[in-house]
PDB file of all heavy atoms in Angstrom:
ATOM      1  N   THR U   1      14.030  17.905  30.950  1.00  0.00           N
ATOM      2  CA  THR U   1      15.182  18.778  30.982  1.00  0.00           C
ATOM      3  C   THR U   1      15.876  18.801  32.464  1.00  0.00           C
ATOM      4  O   THR U   1      17.084  18.779  32.463  1.00  0.00           O
ATOM      5  CB  THR U   1      14.673  20.268  30.701  1.00  0.00           C
ATOM      6  OG1 THR U   1      14.044  20.194  29.371  1.00  0.00           O
ATOM      7  CG2 THR U   1      15.855  21.223  30.616  1.00  0.00           C
ATOM      8  N   GLU U   2      14.984  18.870  33.260  1.00  0.00           N
ATOM      9  CA  GLU U   2      15.705  18.927  34.729  1.00  0.00           C
ATOM     10  C   GLU U   2      16.416  17.610  35.102  1.00  0.00           C
ATOM     11  O   GLU U   2      17.245  17.680  36.056  1.00  0.00           O
ATOM     12  CB  GLU U   2      14.592  19.232  35.827  1.00  0.00           C
ATOM     13  CG  GLU U   2      13.487  18.248  35.785  1.00  0.00           C
ATOM     14  CD  GLU U   2      12.410  18.598  35.047  1.00  0.00           C
ATOM     15  OE1 GLU U   2      12.580  19.448  34.137  1.00  0.00           O
ATOM     16  OE2 GLU U   2      11.129  18.104  35.211  1.00  0.00           O
ATOM     17  N   GLY U   3      16.417  16.630  34.185  1.00  0.00           N
ATOM     18  CA  GLY U   3      17.184  15.464  34.479  1.00  0.00           C
ATOM     19  C   GLY U   3      18.562  15.532  34.201  1.00  0.00           C
ATOM     20  O   GLY U   3      19.343  14.799  34.733  1.00  0.00           O
ATOM     21  N   PHE U   4      18.925  16.699  33.678  1.00  0.00           N
ATOM     22  CA  PHE U   4      20.308  16.986  33.359  1.00  0.00           C
ATOM     23  C   PHE U   4      20.967  17.892  34.372  1.00  0.00           C
ATOM     24  O   PHE U   4      22.189  18.167  34.244  1.00  0.00           O
ATOM     25  CB  PHE U   4      20.534  17.404  31.862  1.00  0.00           C
ATOM     26  CG  PHE U   4      20.133  16.468  30.844  1.00  0.00           C
ATOM     27  CD1 PHE U   4      18.875  16.572  30.133  1.00  0.00           C
ATOM     28  CD2 PHE U   4      20.858  15.389  30.568  1.00  0.00           C
ATOM     29  CE1 PHE U   4      18.500  15.752  29.197  1.00  0.00           C
ATOM     30  CE2 PHE U   4      20.499  14.510  29.608  1.00  0.00           C
ATOM     31  CZ  PHE U   4      19.304  14.765  28.865  1.00  0.00           C
ATOM     32  N   GLU U   5      20.293  18.372  35.324  1.00  0.00           N
ATOM     33  CA  GLU U   5      20.721  19.494  36.198  1.00  0.00           C
ATOM     34  C   GLU U   5      21.926  18.928  37.037  1.00  0.00           C
ATOM     35  O   GLU U   5      22.761  19.765  37.369  1.00  0.00           O
ATOM     36  CB  GLU U   5      19.678  19.946  37.057  1.00  0.00           C
ATOM     37  CG  GLU U   5      18.527  20.676  36.330  1.00  0.00           C
ATOM     38  CD  GLU U   5      17.285  21.130  37.267  1.00  0.00           C
ATOM     39  OE1 GLU U   5      17.332  20.651  38.453  1.00  0.00           O
ATOM     40  OE2 GLU U   5      16.467  21.690  36.731  1.00  0.00           O
ATOM     41  N   GLY U   6      21.889  17.658  37.445  1.00  0.00           N
ATOM     42  CA  GLY U   6      22.994  17.114  38.256  1.00  0.00           C
ATOM     43  C   GLY U   6      24.279  16.692  37.568  1.00  0.00           C
ATOM     44  O   GLY U   6      25.190  16.312  38.229  1.00  0.00           O
ATOM     45  N   LEU U   7      24.296  17.088  36.311  1.00  0.00           N
ATOM     46  CA  LEU U   7      25.564  16.715  35.615  1.00  0.00           C
ATOM     47  C   LEU U   7      26.530  17.687  35.450  1.00  0.00           C
ATOM     48  O   LEU U   7      26.185  18.940  35.138  1.00  0.00           O
ATOM     49  CB  LEU U   7      25.135  16.180  34.110  1.00  0.00           C
ATOM     50  CG  LEU U   7      24.355  14.964  33.991  1.00  0.00           C
ATOM     51  CD1 LEU U   7      23.984  14.579  32.558  1.00  0.00           C
ATOM     52  CD2 LEU U   7      24.996  13.691  34.667  1.00  0.00           C
ATOM     53  N   ALA U   8      27.764  17.441  35.687  1.00  0.00           N
ATOM     54  CA  ALA U   8      28.790  18.424  35.603  1.00  0.00           C
ATOM     55  C   ALA U   8      29.562  18.273  34.303  1.00  0.00           C
ATOM     56  O   ALA U   8      30.496  18.918  34.111  1.00  0.00           O
ATOM     57  CB  ALA U   8      29.727  18.251  36.760  1.00  0.00           C
ATOM     58  N   GLY U   9      29.096  17.418  33.587  1.00  0.00           N
ATOM     59  CA  GLY U   9      29.679  17.226  32.121  1.00  0.00           C
ATOM     60  C   GLY U   9      28.550  17.577  31.232  1.00  0.00           C
ATOM     61  O   GLY U   9      27.760  18.455  31.421  1.00  0.00           O
ATOM     62  N   GLU U  10      28.628  16.893  29.985  1.00  0.00           N
ATOM     63  CA  GLU U  10      27.703  17.056  28.865  1.00  0.00           C
ATOM     64  C   GLU U  10      26.975  15.877  28.574  1.00  0.00           C
ATOM     65  O   GLU U  10      27.637  14.847  28.291  1.00  0.00           O
ATOM     66  CB  GLU U  10      28.374  17.644  27.658  1.00  0.00           C
ATOM     67  CG  GLU U  10      29.020  18.982  27.940  1.00  0.00           C
ATOM     68  CD  GLU U  10      29.880  19.483  26.756  1.00  0.00           C
ATOM     69  OE1 GLU U  10      29.863  18.693  25.745  1.00  0.00           O
ATOM     70  OE2 GLU U  10      30.510  20.514  26.800  1.00  0.00           O
ATOM     71  N   ALA U  11      25.523  15.892  28.559  1.00  0.00           N
ATOM     72  CA  ALA U  11      24.859  14.733  28.073  1.00  0.00           C
ATOM     73  C   ALA U  11      24.550  14.962  26.633  1.00  0.00           C
ATOM     74  O   ALA U  11      24.003  16.076  26.309  1.00  0.00           O
ATOM     75  CB  ALA U  11      23.602  14.529  28.945  1.00  0.00           C
ATOM     76  N   ASP U  12      24.636  14.001  25.745  1.00  0.00           N
ATOM     77  CA  ASP U  12      24.627  14.393  24.198  1.00  0.00           C
ATOM     78  C   ASP U  12      23.846  13.306  23.514  1.00  0.00           C
ATOM     79  O   ASP U  12      23.556  12.216  24.007  1.00  0.00           O
ATOM     80  CB  ASP U  12      26.086  14.246  23.572  1.00  0.00           C
ATOM     81  CG  ASP U  12      27.110  14.881  24.522  1.00  0.00           C
ATOM     82  OD1 ASP U  12      26.860  16.035  24.916  1.00  0.00           O
ATOM     83  OD2 ASP U  12      28.222  14.289  24.793  1.00  0.00           O
ATOM     84  N   TYR U  13      23.305  13.888  22.410  1.00  0.00           N
ATOM     85  CA  TYR U  13      22.595  12.980  21.470  1.00  0.00           C
ATOM     86  C   TYR U  13      23.206  13.146  20.165  1.00  0.00           C
ATOM     87  O   TYR U  13      23.375  14.409  19.718  1.00  0.00           O
ATOM     88  CB  TYR U  13      21.074  13.238  21.380  1.00  0.00           C
ATOM     89  CG  TYR U  13      20.282  12.658  22.431  1.00  0.00           C
ATOM     90  CD1 TYR U  13      20.022  13.308  23.723  1.00  0.00           C
ATOM     91  CD2 TYR U  13      19.662  11.433  22.267  1.00  0.00           C
ATOM     92  CE1 TYR U  13      19.333  12.738  24.675  1.00  0.00           C
ATOM     93  CE2 TYR U  13      18.928  10.845  23.210  1.00  0.00           C
ATOM     94  CZ  TYR U  13      18.736  11.512  24.391  1.00  0.00           C
ATOM     95  OH  TYR U  13      18.036  10.824  25.483  1.00  0.00           O
ATOM     96  N   ILE U  14      23.586  12.192  19.419  1.00  0.00           N
ATOM     97  CA  ILE U  14      24.220  12.203  18.092  1.00  0.00           C
ATOM     98  C   ILE U  14      23.274  11.567  17.212  1.00  0.00           C
ATOM     99  O   ILE U  14      22.761  10.428  17.409  1.00  0.00           O
ATOM    100  CB  ILE U  14      25.574  11.677  18.101  1.00  0.00           C
ATOM    101  CG1 ILE U  14      26.426  12.258  19.058  1.00  0.00           C
ATOM    102  CG2 ILE U  14      26.190  11.609  16.704  1.00  0.00           C
ATOM    103  CD1 ILE U  14      27.804  11.609  19.158  1.00  0.00           C
ATOM    104  N   ARG U  15      23.059  12.138  16.000  1.00  0.00           N
ATOM    105  CA  ARG U  15      22.282  11.599  14.862  1.00  0.00           C
ATOM    106  C   ARG U  15      23.275  11.191  13.825  1.00  0.00           C
ATOM    107  O   ARG U  15      23.795  12.054  13.161  1.00  0.00           O
ATOM    108  CB  ARG U  15      21.131  12.436  14.338  1.00  0.00           C
ATOM    109  CG  ARG U  15      20.061  12.818  15.348  1.00  0.00           C
ATOM    110  CD  ARG U  15      18.894  13.495  14.743  1.00  0.00           C
ATOM    111  NE  ARG U  15      19.174  14.621  14.033  1.00  0.00           N
ATOM    112  CZ  ARG U  15      19.290  15.837  14.613  1.00  0.00           C
ATOM    113  NH1 ARG U  15      19.097  16.022  15.737  1.00  0.00           N
ATOM    114  NH2 ARG U  15      19.637  16.927  13.613  1.00  0.00           N
ATOM    115  N   ILE U  16      23.342   9.872  13.590  1.00  0.00           N
ATOM    116  CA  ILE U  16      24.283   9.366  12.526  1.00  0.00           C
ATOM    117  C   ILE U  16      23.502   8.931  11.217  1.00  0.00           C
ATOM    118  O   ILE U  16      22.724   8.012  11.494  1.00  0.00           O
ATOM    119  CB  ILE U  16      25.191   8.195  13.123  1.00  0.00           C
ATOM    120  CG1 ILE U  16      26.083   8.729  14.208  1.00  0.00           C
ATOM    121  CG2 ILE U  16      26.115   7.712  11.933  1.00  0.00           C
ATOM    122  CD1 ILE U  16      26.974   7.738  14.914  1.00  0.00           C
ATOM    123  N   ASN U  17      23.638   9.605  10.223  1.00  0.00           N
ATOM    124  CA  ASN U  17      22.974   9.151   8.975  1.00  0.00           C
ATOM    125  C   ASN U  17      24.014   8.143   8.208  1.00  0.00           C
ATOM    126  O   ASN U  17      24.935   8.317   7.770  1.00  0.00           O
ATOM    127  CB  ASN U  17      22.831  10.323   7.945  1.00  0.00           C
ATOM    128  CG  ASN U  17      21.949   9.942   6.783  1.00  0.00           C
ATOM    129  OD1 ASN U  17      22.145   8.991   6.129  1.00  0.00           O
ATOM    130  ND2 ASN U  17      20.873  10.840   6.491  1.00  0.00           N
ATOM    131  N   LEU U  18      23.436   6.834   8.362  1.00  0.00           N
ATOM    132  CA  LEU U  18      24.237   5.700   7.814  1.00  0.00           C
ATOM    133  C   LEU U  18      24.470   5.826   6.290  1.00  0.00           C
ATOM    134  O   LEU U  18      25.484   5.373   5.676  1.00  0.00           O
ATOM    135  CB  LEU U  18      23.691   4.423   8.192  1.00  0.00           C
ATOM    136  CG  LEU U  18      23.675   4.053   9.741  1.00  0.00           C
ATOM    137  CD1 LEU U  18      22.923   2.794   9.967  1.00  0.00           C
ATOM    138  CD2 LEU U  18      25.057   4.212  10.286  1.00  0.00           C
ATOM    139  N   LYS U  19      23.408   6.217   5.571  1.00  0.00           N
ATOM    140  CA  LYS U  19      23.381   6.222   4.134  1.00  0.00           C
ATOM    141  C   LYS U  19      24.367   7.319   3.606  1.00  0.00           C
ATOM    142  O   LYS U  19      25.282   7.220   2.754  1.00  0.00           O
ATOM    143  CB  LYS U  19      22.015   6.672   3.572  1.00  0.00           C
ATOM    144  CG  LYS U  19      21.969   6.451   2.013  1.00  0.00           C
ATOM    145  CD  LYS U  19      20.535   6.746   1.596  1.00  0.00           C
ATOM    146  CE  LYS U  19      20.458   6.731   0.044  1.00  0.00           C
ATOM    147  NZ  LYS U  19      19.000   6.779  -0.451  1.00  0.00           N
ATOM    148  N   LYS U  20      24.318   8.535   4.206  1.00  0.00           N
ATOM    149  CA  LYS U  20      25.204   9.665   3.836  1.00  0.00           C
ATOM    150  C   LYS U  20      26.612   9.598   4.603  1.00  0.00           C
ATOM    151  O   LYS U  20      27.489  10.409   4.291  1.00  0.00           O
ATOM    152  CB  LYS U  20      24.660  10.975   4.140  1.00  0.00           C
ATOM    153  CG  LYS U  20      23.342  11.264   3.344  1.00  0.00           C
ATOM    154  CD  LYS U  20      22.719  12.569   3.755  1.00  0.00           C
ATOM    155  CE  LYS U  20      21.550  12.967   2.950  1.00  0.00           C
ATOM    156  NZ  LYS U  20      20.925  14.273   3.209  1.00  0.00           N
ATOM    157  N   GLN U  21      26.628   8.623   5.680  1.00  0.00           N
ATOM    158  CA  GLN U  21      27.809   8.629   6.541  1.00  0.00           C
ATOM    159  C   GLN U  21      28.252  10.012   6.933  1.00  0.00           C
ATOM    160  O   GLN U  21      29.456  10.447   6.904  1.00  0.00           O
ATOM    161  CB  GLN U  21      29.009   8.035   5.682  1.00  0.00           C
ATOM    162  CG  GLN U  21      28.871   6.489   5.329  1.00  0.00           C
ATOM    163  CD  GLN U  21      29.105   5.652   6.604  1.00  0.00           C
ATOM    164  OE1 GLN U  21      30.150   5.611   7.043  1.00  0.00           O
ATOM    165  NE2 GLN U  21      28.126   5.036   7.001  1.00  0.00           N
ATOM    166  N   GLU U  22      27.307  10.518   7.785  1.00  0.00           N
ATOM    167  CA  GLU U  22      27.611  11.784   8.288  1.00  0.00           C
ATOM    168  C   GLU U  22      26.912  11.938   9.872  1.00  0.00           C
ATOM    169  O   GLU U  22      25.932  11.157   9.930  1.00  0.00           O
ATOM    170  CB  GLU U  22      27.068  13.006   7.471  1.00  0.00           C
ATOM    171  CG  GLU U  22      25.619  13.050   7.241  1.00  0.00           C
ATOM    172  CD  GLU U  22      25.187  14.186   6.346  1.00  0.00           C
ATOM    173  OE1 GLU U  22      26.088  14.703   5.569  1.00  0.00           O
ATOM    174  OE2 GLU U  22      24.001  14.675   6.492  1.00  0.00           O
ATOM    175  N   ALA U  23      27.499  12.697  10.630  1.00  0.00           N
ATOM    176  CA  ALA U  23      26.964  12.690  12.084  1.00  0.00           C
ATOM    177  C   ALA U  23      26.528  14.132  12.296  1.00  0.00           C
ATOM    178  O   ALA U  23      27.241  15.185  11.974  1.00  0.00           O
ATOM    179  CB  ALA U  23      27.969  12.286  13.124  1.00  0.00           C
ATOM    180  N   THR U  24      25.348  14.407  12.879  1.00  0.00           N
ATOM    181  CA  THR U  24      24.885  15.638  13.078  1.00  0.00           C
ATOM    182  C   THR U  24      24.969  15.947  14.689  1.00  0.00           C
ATOM    183  O   THR U  24      24.563  15.090  15.514  1.00  0.00           O
ATOM    184  CB  THR U  24      23.312  15.890  12.894  1.00  0.00           C
ATOM    185  OG1 THR U  24      23.304  15.648  11.420  1.00  0.00           O
ATOM    186  CG2 THR U  24      22.920  17.238  13.097  1.00  0.00           C
ATOM    187  N   ILE U  25      25.615  17.024  15.046  1.00  0.00           N
ATOM    188  CA  ILE U  25      25.782  17.282  16.485  1.00  0.00           C
ATOM    189  C   ILE U  25      25.161  18.519  16.930  1.00  0.00           C
ATOM    190  O   ILE U  25      25.563  19.646  16.520  1.00  0.00           O
ATOM    191  CB  ILE U  25      27.368  17.399  16.793  1.00  0.00           C
ATOM    192  CG1 ILE U  25      28.176  16.106  16.462  1.00  0.00           C
ATOM    193  CG2 ILE U  25      27.582  17.769  18.319  1.00  0.00           C
ATOM    194  CD1 ILE U  25      29.683  16.231  16.509  1.00  0.00           C
ATOM    195  N   ASP U  26      24.187  18.390  17.696  1.00  0.00           N
ATOM    196  CA  ASP U  26      23.307  19.591  18.244  1.00  0.00           C
ATOM    197  C   ASP U  26      23.797  19.895  19.735  1.00  0.00           C
ATOM    198  O   ASP U  26      23.676  19.020  20.609  1.00  0.00           O
ATOM    199  CB  ASP U  26      21.909  19.358  18.186  1.00  0.00           C
ATOM    200  CG  ASP U  26      21.345  19.019  16.874  1.00  0.00           C
ATOM    201  OD1 ASP U  26      21.828  19.566  15.931  1.00  0.00           O
ATOM    202  OD2 ASP U  26      20.396  18.144  16.939  1.00  0.00           O
ATOM    203  N   SER U  27      24.489  20.920  20.000  1.00  0.00           N
ATOM    204  CA  SER U  27      25.182  21.190  21.231  1.00  0.00           C
ATOM    205  C   SER U  27      24.408  22.113  22.102  1.00  0.00           C
ATOM    206  O   SER U  27      23.970  23.090  21.784  1.00  0.00           O
ATOM    207  CB  SER U  27      26.618  21.849  20.959  1.00  0.00           C
ATOM    208  OG  SER U  27      27.415  20.904  20.164  1.00  0.00           O
ATOM    209  N   VAL U  28      24.368  21.679  23.405  1.00  0.00           N
ATOM    210  CA  VAL U  28      23.730  22.497  24.463  1.00  0.00           C
ATOM    211  C   VAL U  28      24.548  22.321  25.794  1.00  0.00           C
ATOM    212  O   VAL U  28      24.999  21.216  26.132  1.00  0.00           O
ATOM    213  CB  VAL U  28      22.315  21.956  24.811  1.00  0.00           C
ATOM    214  CG1 VAL U  28      21.700  22.813  25.994  1.00  0.00           C
ATOM    215  CG2 VAL U  28      21.331  22.020  23.584  1.00  0.00           C
TER     216      VAL U  28
END
């Protein structure tokens, strides 16, 4: 977690389901 402390922007992970063709966005 502390690895993101120095960022002034947003570090993101996106989960893309290729079969359903949908993207899940979990925002912090």
Side-chain angles (χ1 to χ4, degrees):
T1 306
E2 57 269 19
F4 298 103
E5 293 177 357
L7 295 178
E10 298 172 3
D12 314 315
Y13 280 87
I14 300 177
R15 297 194 302 273
I16 299 178
N17 190 311
L18 299 176
K19 185 176 182 179
K20 296 181 179 179
Q21 285 290 291
E22 63 183 26
T24 302
I25 304 173
D26 302 323
S27 301
V28 180

